[in-house]
Amino acid sequence: MSIVETVEVKSASKQTTDFLSAQHKLVIGGTAALSTTGETFQTFDPALGKVLTSVPHAKQADVDAAVAAAQAAQPVWQRMAPSERAALLLRFADLIERDTAWISEIESLDSGKPKLHIAAVDIPLGVGALRYNAGWCTKLAGETIPVSSPDMHVYTRREPVGVVAAIVPWNFPLCQACFKIAPALAAGCTVILKPAEQTPLSALILGKLALEAGIPPGVLNVLTGEGATTGQALVEHPGVAKISFTGSEEVGKHIARSASKTLKHVSLELGGKNPNIIFADCDVEAAASVAAGAIFFYSGQVCSAGSRLMVDAAVYDRVVDRVVSEAKQLKLGHGLNADTTMGPLISEDQLARVNGFVEQSRKGGIEVAIGGNRGKGDLASGSFYEPTVLCGADDSASVVREEIFGPVLTIQKFNSLDDLVPRANNSNFGLAAGIWTRDISKAHAAAAAIQAGTIWINTYNQFDAAVGWGGFKQSGYGKDNGREGLDKYLQTKTVWVNYGS
Ligand code: NDP
């Protein structure tokens, strides 16, 4: 089915409509290929509930071919002059940036996110990861180690782990892919990218742009498919050395178990239930305004979402009022509309999951200060959910404990730092936290005490390719970005040289 028949996208560019009308192919060893079985699956515009286009469903034979291509390309890519590898990554980044306008449209149609957010946030972050990691290509130095044995020169080499399977979710498809591709390629690994089945399109664009940039065939392969088949085949494949995964806790644990059979390297970014903490001495209105953005950005489908707002009892009412008033300002709509500030949820399944949490809260007597329903009127045909604020939940409520991954905020009171810290830490997750205070001692004390991979003080949702991102506890292990994000694609070889006679 073509875009013309299925979706009315009046404001999309010709490049976007041409892309959607084309027959999509896997990228394996530099060649565009249909799935060996010829099977495809559909991807949807979640704002309209309509089919966008179909993409190949990669099966075992396609996975085998992609792994073989990545294995063949890996030694060549590793041996390429580091400065040349860096230049190719920079060119790749330039091409993504060049195509920002139409890639943002495709990503918006596929994910529901506002196009303007994708152009302003997702693509710059992805491009930034490529540029940051390009710099590392020429700096992968080992060390010399003085040893106590006579006449021995010992040095280390930092070598790529091999073929990497990058398995990414639907909330930041291009950006998460770049967070994995960029350091892996900088390290000299080759990559097989498997996007989420809800958002396969930008990955196919990345595969083509990598080739256009001159990155050799087989260095970046793209397989669209389902997690349980395509993804699982990658996780089990003996030719894959490392799995770099972002997604749900449940699938992350399953992948860690499956990958242990072939002792793959595994890194997992598994989401969070992040406390955002407002002390009474901060700029309360500013904090509450950012707190609203911290949950409603991309409809709350963000691992770092500030989904647990914990507020000093002295300013609780002011914060609730301000967050509710910010929620009222949001303009729900199609991601291609310039005035949309909040798009739909990714799917009807996700909407049902989110609504299930809210219904359970209602039944449990938790106050719904605003929202709590799917979108009405023009929004009813898409997977829209109202920005929702829940007040008065206790710490044991499922809405306080579980990652909802929707525009649902709980606001709770605390009385002191001593009351706050154990409650903030009473979570299986430990991805991120926000702290709002003008008291520098309190800020540092809370930052040290809270169990999370990232702490933001008087700000929220700041990211940079140079800064590691990843969680504590069941939010996973292994960082994306920063030096640590590169290290996980490298292994250290030690060389002993006897220079004695
Ligand atoms: P999943 O964890 O199921 O999906 C993430 C990625 O893993 C997708 O590419 C998926 O493929 C793939 N996958 C699924 N099963 C396997 C498998 N057995 N082997 C290899 N790869 C696999 O997340 P969901 O899309 O189901 O979202 C469910 C919940 O997960 C959300 O509500 C949210 O709580 C959380 N989540 C967290 C994210 C984060 O950023 N940490 C991102 C997305 C979701 P496919 O899409 O084809 O199934």
Side-chain angles (χ1 to χ4, degrees), residues 178-210:
C178 290
F179 286 178
K180 298 184 187 312
I181 294 167
L185 297 193
C189 298
T190 50
V191 173
I192 301 162
L193 171 63
K194 199 218 76 74
E197 64 192 271
Q198 296 90 341
T199 53
L201 300 179
S202 57
L204 294 171
I205 298 172
L206 286 179
K208 283 187 193 166
L209 290 182

PDB file of all heavy atoms in Angstrom, residues 178-210:
ATOM      1  N   CYS A 178      22.213   5.952  16.741  1.00  0.00           N
ATOM      2  CA  CYS A 178      23.510   6.641  16.634  1.00  0.00           C
ATOM      3  C   CYS A 178      24.331   6.495  17.916  1.00  0.00           C
ATOM      4  O   CYS A 178      25.554   6.399  17.864  1.00  0.00           O
ATOM      5  CB  CYS A 178      23.319   8.116  16.308  1.00  0.00           C
ATOM      6  SG  CYS A 178      22.730   8.386  14.625  1.00  0.00           S
ATOM      7  N   PHE A 179      23.644   6.483  19.075  1.00  0.00           N
ATOM      8  CA  PHE A 179      24.372   6.316  20.344  1.00  0.00           C
ATOM      9  C   PHE A 179      25.132   4.984  20.363  1.00  0.00           C
ATOM     10  O   PHE A 179      26.087   4.820  21.114  1.00  0.00           O
ATOM     11  CB  PHE A 179      23.415   6.332  21.541  1.00  0.00           C
ATOM     12  CG  PHE A 179      22.859   7.691  21.897  1.00  0.00           C
ATOM     13  CD1 PHE A 179      21.945   7.815  22.937  1.00  0.00           C
ATOM     14  CD2 PHE A 179      23.247   8.827  21.217  1.00  0.00           C
ATOM     15  CE1 PHE A 179      21.429   9.059  23.286  1.00  0.00           C
ATOM     16  CE2 PHE A 179      22.724  10.076  21.559  1.00  0.00           C
ATOM     17  CZ  PHE A 179      21.811  10.190  22.600  1.00  0.00           C
ATOM     18  N   LYS A 180      24.671   4.027  19.584  1.00  0.00           N
ATOM     19  CA  LYS A 180      25.319   2.707  19.570  1.00  0.00           C
ATOM     20  C   LYS A 180      26.249   2.557  18.365  1.00  0.00           C
ATOM     21  O   LYS A 180      27.377   2.075  18.494  1.00  0.00           O
ATOM     22  CB  LYS A 180      24.246   1.609  19.585  1.00  0.00           C
ATOM     23  CG  LYS A 180      23.395   1.689  20.859  1.00  0.00           C
ATOM     24  CD  LYS A 180      22.405   0.576  20.958  1.00  0.00           C
ATOM     25  CE  LYS A 180      21.445   0.737  22.129  1.00  0.00           C
ATOM     26  NZ  LYS A 180      22.048   1.057  23.434  1.00  0.00           N
ATOM     27  N   ILE A 181      25.759   3.002  17.199  1.00  0.00           N
ATOM     28  CA  ILE A 181      26.577   2.856  15.984  1.00  0.00           C
ATOM     29  C   ILE A 181      27.875   3.660  16.116  1.00  0.00           C
ATOM     30  O   ILE A 181      28.951   3.181  15.760  1.00  0.00           O
ATOM     31  CB  ILE A 181      25.803   3.386  14.751  1.00  0.00           C
ATOM     32  CG1 ILE A 181      24.582   2.540  14.454  1.00  0.00           C
ATOM     33  CG2 ILE A 181      26.707   3.449  13.529  1.00  0.00           C
ATOM     34  CD1 ILE A 181      23.626   3.217  13.454  1.00  0.00           C
ATOM     35  N   ALA A 182      27.761   4.889  16.606  1.00  0.00           N
ATOM     36  CA  ALA A 182      28.909   5.812  16.565  1.00  0.00           C
ATOM     37  C   ALA A 182      30.108   5.268  17.356  1.00  0.00           C
ATOM     38  O   ALA A 182      31.207   5.158  16.795  1.00  0.00           O
ATOM     39  CB  ALA A 182      28.485   7.195  17.063  1.00  0.00           C
ATOM     40  N   PRO A 183      29.938   4.898  18.625  1.00  0.00           N
ATOM     41  CA  PRO A 183      31.116   4.387  19.333  1.00  0.00           C
ATOM     42  C   PRO A 183      31.577   3.034  18.800  1.00  0.00           C
ATOM     43  O   PRO A 183      32.777   2.750  18.778  1.00  0.00           O
ATOM     44  CB  PRO A 183      30.640   4.280  20.791  1.00  0.00           C
ATOM     45  CG  PRO A 183      29.147   4.246  20.729  1.00  0.00           C
ATOM     46  CD  PRO A 183      28.771   5.027  19.505  1.00  0.00           C
ATOM     47  N   ALA A 184      30.617   2.206  18.373  1.00  0.00           N
ATOM     48  CA  ALA A 184      31.008   0.885  17.850  1.00  0.00           C
ATOM     49  C   ALA A 184      31.880   1.055  16.608  1.00  0.00           C
ATOM     50  O   ALA A 184      32.938   0.422  16.494  1.00  0.00           O
ATOM     51  CB  ALA A 184      29.759   0.062  17.523  1.00  0.00           C
ATOM     52  N   LEU A 185      31.477   1.916  15.686  1.00  0.00           N
ATOM     53  CA  LEU A 185      32.261   2.112  14.468  1.00  0.00           C
ATOM     54  C   LEU A 185      33.593   2.796  14.795  1.00  0.00           C
ATOM     55  O   LEU A 185      34.623   2.472  14.205  1.00  0.00           O
ATOM     56  CB  LEU A 185      31.487   2.919  13.423  1.00  0.00           C
ATOM     57  CG  LEU A 185      30.194   2.304  12.874  1.00  0.00           C
ATOM     58  CD1 LEU A 185      29.728   3.063  11.630  1.00  0.00           C
ATOM     59  CD2 LEU A 185      30.326   0.831  12.544  1.00  0.00           C
ATOM     60  N   ALA A 186      33.565   3.744  15.728  1.00  0.00           N
ATOM     61  CA  ALA A 186      34.825   4.408  16.104  1.00  0.00           C
ATOM     62  C   ALA A 186      35.815   3.394  16.667  1.00  0.00           C
ATOM     63  O   ALA A 186      37.018   3.479  16.428  1.00  0.00           O
ATOM     64  CB  ALA A 186      34.549   5.507  17.125  1.00  0.00           C
ATOM     65  N   ALA A 187      35.296   2.401  17.388  1.00  0.00           N
ATOM     66  CA  ALA A 187      36.164   1.386  17.998  1.00  0.00           C
ATOM     67  C   ALA A 187      36.683   0.381  16.971  1.00  0.00           C
ATOM     68  O   ALA A 187      37.574  -0.405  17.282  1.00  0.00           O
ATOM     69  CB  ALA A 187      35.385   0.657  19.102  1.00  0.00           C
ATOM     70  N   GLY A 188      36.108   0.391  15.767  1.00  0.00           N
ATOM     71  CA  GLY A 188      36.538  -0.577  14.744  1.00  0.00           C
ATOM     72  C   GLY A 188      35.633  -1.796  14.665  1.00  0.00           C
ATOM     73  O   GLY A 188      35.962  -2.775  13.987  1.00  0.00           O
ATOM     74  N   CYS A 189      34.506  -1.762  15.379  1.00  0.00           N
ATOM     75  CA  CYS A 189      33.521  -2.846  15.263  1.00  0.00           C
ATOM     76  C   CYS A 189      32.691  -2.628  14.006  1.00  0.00           C
ATOM     77  O   CYS A 189      32.600  -1.512  13.487  1.00  0.00           O
ATOM     78  CB  CYS A 189      32.567  -2.836  16.458  1.00  0.00           C
ATOM     79  SG  CYS A 189      33.364  -3.119  18.040  1.00  0.00           S
ATOM     80  N   THR A 190      32.036  -3.685  13.549  1.00  0.00           N
ATOM     81  CA  THR A 190      30.996  -3.528  12.540  1.00  0.00           C
ATOM     82  C   THR A 190      29.655  -3.806  13.223  1.00  0.00           C
ATOM     83  O   THR A 190      29.609  -4.436  14.295  1.00  0.00           O
ATOM     84  CB  THR A 190      31.220  -4.471  11.349  1.00  0.00           C
ATOM     85  OG1 THR A 190      31.428  -5.800  11.844  1.00  0.00           O
ATOM     86  CG2 THR A 190      32.426  -4.038  10.545  1.00  0.00           C
ATOM     87  N   VAL A 191      28.578  -3.328  12.613  1.00  0.00           N
ATOM     88  CA  VAL A 191      27.299  -3.270  13.333  1.00  0.00           C
ATOM     89  C   VAL A 191      26.159  -3.848  12.497  1.00  0.00           C
ATOM     90  O   VAL A 191      26.109  -3.663  11.277  1.00  0.00           O
ATOM     91  CB  VAL A 191      26.961  -1.791  13.690  1.00  0.00           C
ATOM     92  CG1 VAL A 191      25.571  -1.669  14.295  1.00  0.00           C
ATOM     93  CG2 VAL A 191      28.001  -1.220  14.644  1.00  0.00           C
ATOM     94  N   ILE A 192      25.265  -4.551  13.197  1.00  0.00           N
ATOM     95  CA  ILE A 192      23.960  -4.892  12.619  1.00  0.00           C
ATOM     96  C   ILE A 192      22.924  -4.176  13.483  1.00  0.00           C
ATOM     97  O   ILE A 192      22.831  -4.430  14.693  1.00  0.00           O
ATOM     98  CB  ILE A 192      23.716  -6.409  12.637  1.00  0.00           C
ATOM     99  CG1 ILE A 192      24.830  -7.114  11.851  1.00  0.00           C
ATOM    100  CG2 ILE A 192      22.340  -6.735  12.051  1.00  0.00           C
ATOM    101  CD1 ILE A 192      24.947  -8.579  12.140  1.00  0.00           C
ATOM    102  N   LEU A 193      22.200  -3.264  12.853  1.00  0.00           N
ATOM    103  CA  LEU A 193      21.206  -2.471  13.579  1.00  0.00           C
ATOM    104  C   LEU A 193      19.828  -3.088  13.395  1.00  0.00           C
ATOM    105  O   LEU A 193      19.396  -3.319  12.262  1.00  0.00           O
ATOM    106  CB  LEU A 193      21.227  -1.041  13.031  1.00  0.00           C
ATOM    107  CG  LEU A 193      20.107  -0.098  13.498  1.00  0.00           C
ATOM    108  CD1 LEU A 193      20.176   0.139  15.002  1.00  0.00           C
ATOM    109  CD2 LEU A 193      20.211   1.243  12.748  1.00  0.00           C
ATOM    110  N   LYS A 194      19.155  -3.366  14.543  1.00  0.00           N
ATOM    111  CA  LYS A 194      17.761  -3.824  14.462  1.00  0.00           C
ATOM    112  C   LYS A 194      16.875  -2.808  15.166  1.00  0.00           C
ATOM    113  O   LYS A 194      16.859  -2.710  16.395  1.00  0.00           O
ATOM    114  CB  LYS A 194      17.563  -5.210  15.097  1.00  0.00           C
ATOM    115  CG  LYS A 194      16.256  -5.823  14.586  1.00  0.00           C
ATOM    116  CD  LYS A 194      15.443  -6.610  15.586  1.00  0.00           C
ATOM    117  CE  LYS A 194      14.641  -5.931  16.626  1.00  0.00           C
ATOM    118  NZ  LYS A 194      13.396  -5.260  16.195  1.00  0.00           N
ATOM    119  N   PRO A 195      16.124  -2.037  14.379  1.00  0.00           N
ATOM    120  CA  PRO A 195      15.213  -1.069  15.008  1.00  0.00           C
ATOM    121  C   PRO A 195      13.976  -1.765  15.554  1.00  0.00           C
ATOM    122  O   PRO A 195      13.709  -2.924  15.228  1.00  0.00           O
ATOM    123  CB  PRO A 195      14.837  -0.157  13.834  1.00  0.00           C
ATOM    124  CG  PRO A 195      14.950  -1.035  12.627  1.00  0.00           C
ATOM    125  CD  PRO A 195      16.042  -2.025  12.908  1.00  0.00           C
ATOM    126  N   ALA A 196      13.202  -1.045  16.351  1.00  0.00           N
ATOM    127  CA  ALA A 196      11.933  -1.592  16.859  1.00  0.00           C
ATOM    128  C   ALA A 196      10.956  -1.744  15.698  1.00  0.00           C
ATOM    129  O   ALA A 196      10.999  -0.976  14.734  1.00  0.00           O
ATOM    130  CB  ALA A 196      11.354  -0.647  17.908  1.00  0.00           C
ATOM    131  N   GLU A 197      10.061  -2.697  15.817  1.00  0.00           N
ATOM    132  CA  GLU A 197       9.144  -2.939  14.690  1.00  0.00           C
ATOM    133  C   GLU A 197       8.179  -1.773  14.492  1.00  0.00           C
ATOM    134  O   GLU A 197       7.700  -1.550  13.384  1.00  0.00           O
ATOM    135  CB  GLU A 197       8.399  -4.258  14.853  1.00  0.00           C
ATOM    136  CG  GLU A 197       7.486  -4.322  16.037  1.00  0.00           C
ATOM    137  CD  GLU A 197       7.006  -5.745  16.301  1.00  0.00           C
ATOM    138  OE1 GLU A 197       5.983  -6.103  15.719  1.00  0.00           O
ATOM    139  OE2 GLU A 197       7.638  -6.468  17.089  1.00  0.00           O
ATOM    140  N   GLN A 198       7.933  -0.979  15.542  1.00  0.00           N
ATOM    141  CA  GLN A 198       7.036   0.171  15.395  1.00  0.00           C
ATOM    142  C   GLN A 198       7.696   1.307  14.612  1.00  0.00           C
ATOM    143  O   GLN A 198       7.009   2.157  14.058  1.00  0.00           O
ATOM    144  CB  GLN A 198       6.615   0.714  16.766  1.00  0.00           C
ATOM    145  CG  GLN A 198       5.798  -0.240  17.606  1.00  0.00           C
ATOM    146  CD  GLN A 198       6.668  -1.106  18.498  1.00  0.00           C
ATOM    147  OE1 GLN A 198       7.855  -1.257  18.271  1.00  0.00           O
ATOM    148  NE2 GLN A 198       6.068  -1.690  19.510  1.00  0.00           N
ATOM    149  N   THR A 199       9.029   1.379  14.632  1.00  0.00           N
ATOM    150  CA  THR A 199       9.733   2.529  14.034  1.00  0.00           C
ATOM    151  C   THR A 199      10.948   2.075  13.215  1.00  0.00           C
ATOM    152  O   THR A 199      12.097   2.401  13.561  1.00  0.00           O
ATOM    153  CB  THR A 199      10.209   3.496  15.146  1.00  0.00           C
ATOM    154  OG1 THR A 199      10.970   2.720  16.088  1.00  0.00           O
ATOM    155  CG2 THR A 199       9.071   4.201  15.839  1.00  0.00           C
ATOM    156  N   PRO A 200      10.715   1.365  12.115  1.00  0.00           N
ATOM    157  CA  PRO A 200      11.870   0.826  11.380  1.00  0.00           C
ATOM    158  C   PRO A 200      12.484   1.785  10.367  1.00  0.00           C
ATOM    159  O   PRO A 200      13.561   1.506   9.833  1.00  0.00           O
ATOM    160  CB  PRO A 200      11.245  -0.376  10.641  1.00  0.00           C
ATOM    161  CG  PRO A 200       9.821   0.044  10.409  1.00  0.00           C
ATOM    162  CD  PRO A 200       9.432   0.894  11.596  1.00  0.00           C
ATOM    163  N   LEU A 201      11.813   2.921  10.079  1.00  0.00           N
ATOM    164  CA  LEU A 201      12.161   3.660   8.866  1.00  0.00           C
ATOM    165  C   LEU A 201      13.479   4.430   8.951  1.00  0.00           C
ATOM    166  O   LEU A 201      14.277   4.420   8.007  1.00  0.00           O
ATOM    167  CB  LEU A 201      11.005   4.589   8.473  1.00  0.00           C
ATOM    168  CG  LEU A 201       9.689   3.842   8.179  1.00  0.00           C
ATOM    169  CD1 LEU A 201       8.588   4.837   7.821  1.00  0.00           C
ATOM    170  CD2 LEU A 201       9.879   2.827   7.051  1.00  0.00           C
ATOM    171  N   SER A 202      13.719   5.116  10.070  1.00  0.00           N
ATOM    172  CA  SER A 202      14.947   5.924  10.108  1.00  0.00           C
ATOM    173  C   SER A 202      16.187   5.033  10.078  1.00  0.00           C
ATOM    174  O   SER A 202      17.246   5.447   9.598  1.00  0.00           O
ATOM    175  CB  SER A 202      14.961   6.858  11.315  1.00  0.00           C
ATOM    176  OG  SER A 202      14.826   6.132  12.507  1.00  0.00           O
ATOM    177  N   ALA A 203      16.079   3.794  10.574  1.00  0.00           N
ATOM    178  CA  ALA A 203      17.236   2.888  10.521  1.00  0.00           C
ATOM    179  C   ALA A 203      17.602   2.572   9.073  1.00  0.00           C
ATOM    180  O   ALA A 203      18.789   2.504   8.719  1.00  0.00           O
ATOM    181  CB  ALA A 203      16.930   1.599  11.287  1.00  0.00           C
ATOM    182  N   LEU A 204      16.567   2.398   8.240  1.00  0.00           N
ATOM    183  CA  LEU A 204      16.844   2.119   6.821  1.00  0.00           C
ATOM    184  C   LEU A 204      17.519   3.321   6.162  1.00  0.00           C
ATOM    185  O   LEU A 204      18.403   3.170   5.322  1.00  0.00           O
ATOM    186  CB  LEU A 204      15.533   1.763   6.102  1.00  0.00           C
ATOM    187  CG  LEU A 204      14.891   0.448   6.581  1.00  0.00           C
ATOM    188  CD1 LEU A 204      13.501   0.283   5.975  1.00  0.00           C
ATOM    189  CD2 LEU A 204      15.770  -0.755   6.240  1.00  0.00           C
ATOM    190  N   ILE A 205      17.103   4.520   6.578  1.00  0.00           N
ATOM    191  CA  ILE A 205      17.755   5.734   6.042  1.00  0.00           C
ATOM    192  C   ILE A 205      19.212   5.780   6.498  1.00  0.00           C
ATOM    193  O   ILE A 205      20.117   6.078   5.705  1.00  0.00           O
ATOM    194  CB  ILE A 205      16.989   6.999   6.498  1.00  0.00           C
ATOM    195  CG1 ILE A 205      15.558   6.971   5.949  1.00  0.00           C
ATOM    196  CG2 ILE A 205      17.715   8.266   6.051  1.00  0.00           C
ATOM    197  CD1 ILE A 205      14.652   8.071   6.491  1.00  0.00           C
ATOM    198  N   LEU A 206      19.445   5.460   7.765  1.00  0.00           N
ATOM    199  CA  LEU A 206      20.836   5.474   8.264  1.00  0.00           C
ATOM    200  C   LEU A 206      21.705   4.509   7.469  1.00  0.00           C
ATOM    201  O   LEU A 206      22.856   4.821   7.123  1.00  0.00           O
ATOM    202  CB  LEU A 206      20.871   5.082   9.753  1.00  0.00           C
ATOM    203  CG  LEU A 206      20.385   6.118  10.755  1.00  0.00           C
ATOM    204  CD1 LEU A 206      20.461   5.564  12.170  1.00  0.00           C
ATOM    205  CD2 LEU A 206      21.211   7.407  10.661  1.00  0.00           C
ATOM    206  N   GLY A 207      21.159   3.321   7.168  1.00  0.00           N
ATOM    207  CA  GLY A 207      21.929   2.330   6.405  1.00  0.00           C
ATOM    208  C   GLY A 207      22.343   2.874   5.051  1.00  0.00           C
ATOM    209  O   GLY A 207      23.486   2.689   4.607  1.00  0.00           O
ATOM    210  N   LYS A 208      21.417   3.579   4.389  1.00  0.00           N
ATOM    211  CA  LYS A 208      21.732   4.133   3.061  1.00  0.00           C
ATOM    212  C   LYS A 208      22.735   5.283   3.174  1.00  0.00           C
ATOM    213  O   LYS A 208      23.645   5.404   2.363  1.00  0.00           O
ATOM    214  CB  LYS A 208      20.453   4.682   2.414  1.00  0.00           C
ATOM    215  CG  LYS A 208      19.556   3.613   1.865  1.00  0.00           C
ATOM    216  CD  LYS A 208      18.431   4.303   1.095  1.00  0.00           C
ATOM    217  CE  LYS A 208      17.338   3.300   0.803  1.00  0.00           C
ATOM    218  NZ  LYS A 208      16.109   3.887   0.381  1.00  0.00           N
ATOM    219  N   LEU A 209      22.536   6.157   4.152  1.00  0.00           N
ATOM    220  CA  LEU A 209      23.429   7.316   4.281  1.00  0.00           C
ATOM    221  C   LEU A 209      24.851   6.892   4.638  1.00  0.00           C
ATOM    222  O   LEU A 209      25.822   7.530   4.214  1.00  0.00           O
ATOM    223  CB  LEU A 209      22.889   8.298   5.326  1.00  0.00           C
ATOM    224  CG  LEU A 209      21.614   9.053   4.936  1.00  0.00           C
ATOM    225  CD1 LEU A 209      21.206  10.024   6.043  1.00  0.00           C
ATOM    226  CD2 LEU A 209      21.793   9.818   3.619  1.00  0.00           C
ATOM    227  N   ALA A 210      24.974   5.811   5.404  1.00  0.00           N
ATOM    228  CA  ALA A 210      26.330   5.323   5.745  1.00  0.00           C
ATOM    229  C   ALA A 210      27.064   4.931   4.467  1.00  0.00           C
ATOM    230  O   ALA A 210      28.253   5.252   4.291  1.00  0.00           O
ATOM    231  CB  ALA A 210      26.249   4.139   6.701  1.00  0.00           C
TER     232      ALA A 210
END
